[in-house]
Amino acid sequence: MTAGSGLLHIEAPPEHLVMSGGLFHGLQLWVNLPARDKMMAPRYQDIRGGSVQLLTTPDGGALLRVIAGELDGHQGPGITHTPITMIHATLAPGAELTLPWREDFNGLAYVLAGRGSVGAERRPVHMGQTAVFGAGSSLTVRADEKQDSHTPDLEVVLLGGQPIREPMAHYGPFVMNTKDELMQAFEDFQKGRLGTVPAVHGMTEGGPQG
């Protein structure tokens, strides 16, 4: 979702999950827009599981889902306004994954579930933790041989991008470059100038169509 000049939205699980119960895991990632694109028209991308690029390591120990950006020539469906790469990786116990990474990108690993280690120093990480990689041309993640009983694999989101290096001002849900722009954003909201995301994007009461 590209907020641009302002977008009203709400994230909610499918109605059938609300009615029947169950676990719902959501991950919200905010990627800043360059100043030149801050006021562009809002846009929404509906990316389903079947449209992501699926890759595996040669030994089959890891499954990679390329959601946005590019990995070693494989392009994900997500479109961003500055270069980024976002991958959801599942590593079997004991598996190791080393990915080529652009040297002009920063790099992060967020652990959704499980236990493992990152980097050449094998720094330990576990569910809910974020690791920040230093400069280099690759990212390395390893899954511990023994995982928690309720988590069979290490689930990790690997992401990074080209730093924008511009001033940032934020308050509440708004992220701009200056305080004056923040004040304008609140005024736009109060006067109903923001765009909206339609309530339904291919969803039915039973879940997504297709």
Side-chain angles (χ1 to χ4, degrees):
M1 182 163 50
T2 304
S5 55
L7 195 62
L8 293 173
H9 64 278
I10 185 170
E11 299 94 5
E15 186 175 347
H16 75 278
L17 186 62
V18 175
M19 299 301 292
S20 62
L23 294 176
F24 183 80
H25 196 164
L27 178 66
Q28 188 176 86
L29 171 67
W30 290 35
V31 180
N32 197 15
L33 283 170
R36 66 178 183 272
D37 294 330
K38 275 287 197 296
M39 298 305 291
M40 67 180 296
R43 184 179 62 180
Y44 182 86
Q45 301 171 67
D46 189 12
I47 300 173
R48 303 292 175 86
S51 65
V52 300
Q53 185 77 247
L54 293 178
L55 307 171
T56 61
T57 50
D59 63 1
L63 172 66
L64 308 176
R65 306 163 189 85
V66 185
I67 299 168
E70 180 263 347
L71 176 66
D72 200 25
H74 301 278
Q75 191 75 34
I79 299 170
T80 59
H81 292 273
T82 55
I84 76 163
T85 295
M86 181 177 182
I87 297 160
H88 174 196
T90 301
L91 284 76
E96 179 174 308
L97 173 66
T98 297
L99 300 179
W101 207 252
R102 281 179 48 169
E103 293 193 29
D104 59 336
F105 275 22
N106 50 28
L108 304 170
Y110 175 71
V111 184
L112 294 167
R115 297 178 174 276
S117 60
V118 296
E121 303 87 0
R122 299 197 175 207
R123 300 286 180 88
V125 290
H126 57 76
M127 183 177 69
Q129 289 188 319
T130 300
V132 180
F133 293 91
S137 58
S138 65
L139 303 184
T140 298
V141 180
R142 302 171 189 84
D144 285 355
E145 293 280 354
K146 186 177 181 180
Q147 297 292 329
D148 298 332
S149 59
H150 61 281
T151 305
D153 301 309
L154 174 65
E155 302 280 354
V156 61
V157 172
L158 300 168
L159 58 98
Q162 202 171 57
I164 299 174
R165 305 198 191 286
E166 292 178 347
M168 187 175 71
H170 64 92
Y171 188 81
F174 297 109
V175 181
M176 302 300 291
N177 292 100
T178 67
K179 289 184 178 180
D180 287 344
E181 290 173 345
L182 276 180
M183 292 174 64
Q184 182 65 53
F186 273 101
E187 181 180 331
D188 289 345
F189 169 70
Q190 290 165 352
K191 293 187 175 180
R193 296 175 184 150
L194 304 190
T196 59
V197 172
V200 176
H201 277 274
M203 297 297 291
T204 67
E205 290 187 4
Q209 295 174 341

